[in-house]
Amino acid sequence: MTRAERVLSGPGLVNLYDSLCELAGKPAAPLTPERITDLYPGCDPQCREAVMMFMGMLGTFAGSVALTFGAHGGVYIMGGIIPKILGTFVQSSFRERFEFRGRYRGYLSAIPTYVVTRPNPAFLGLKTLFADS
């Protein structure tokens, strides 16, 4: 597991939640990533903060990856967490953190970001690959 995956994954979301509970001096409930995102809109402040931190960190990482690879056509966000809380994602600091790169802000602001919501999108590519054979 890479360092980014330690935070930007389901288990990473749980790690953020557990850490925030410890900092708040309260015991962490044994929550799954799904449960943390379910509780996010409610009254659990550590779930809310964990989800918002997750979104911001994802934006920072995605912006770094876009710069590293010279992205132009877009950055595609996939996985199990973001499509389930798309409204939260749109309202989060993801895009602000994605673009926050000083003199590279103009470059990054021109790169679109997409969330892939289709289940098993790889099968579409495979279908196309085999159809062209």
Side-chain angles (χ1 to χ4, degrees), residues 19 27-28 32 34 52 54-56 71-74 80 96 108-109 124:
S19 297
T32 63
E34 295 80 16
M52 297 315 287
F54 182 91
M55 301 292 184
H72 291 284
E96 178 185 337
L108 287 168
S109 66
L124 290 176

Side-chain angles (χ1 to χ4, degrees), residues 1-9 12 54 57-58 61 65:
M1 183 178 282
T2 67
R3 289 182 181 162
E5 288 174 316
R6 292 195 186 279
V7 176
L8 301 176
S9 63
F54 182 91
M57 290 176 184
L58 181 60
F61 181 74
V65 170

Side-chain angles (χ1 to χ4, degrees), residues 8-72:
L8 301 176
S9 63
L13 182 59
V14 173
N15 290 339
L16 284 173
Y17 167 77
D18 290 346
S19 297
L20 290 167
C21 286
E22 187 170 327
L23 288 170
K26 81 174 217 183
L31 300 178
T32 63
E34 295 80 16
R35 192 72 181 120
I36 291 170
T37 57
D38 287 346
L39 291 173
Y40 159 79
C43 59
D44 188 307
Q46 283 71 39
C47 286
R48 181 171 185 73
E49 189 172 356
V51 169
M52 297 315 287
M53 286 178 70
F54 182 91
M55 301 292 184
M57 290 176 184
L58 181 60
T60 297
F61 181 74
S64 294
V65 170
L67 277 176
T68 299
F69 290 102
H72 291 284

Side-chain angles (χ1 to χ4, degrees), residues 91-112:
Q91 300 298 320
S92 76
S93 65
F94 171 86
R95 190 66 201 188
E96 178 185 337
R97 298 268 299 263
F98 179 85
E99 296 176 10
F100 189 70
R101 294 290 187 291
R103 66 181 182 207
Y104 295 107
R105 185 177 196 78
Y107 173 77
L108 287 168
S109 66
I111 299 172

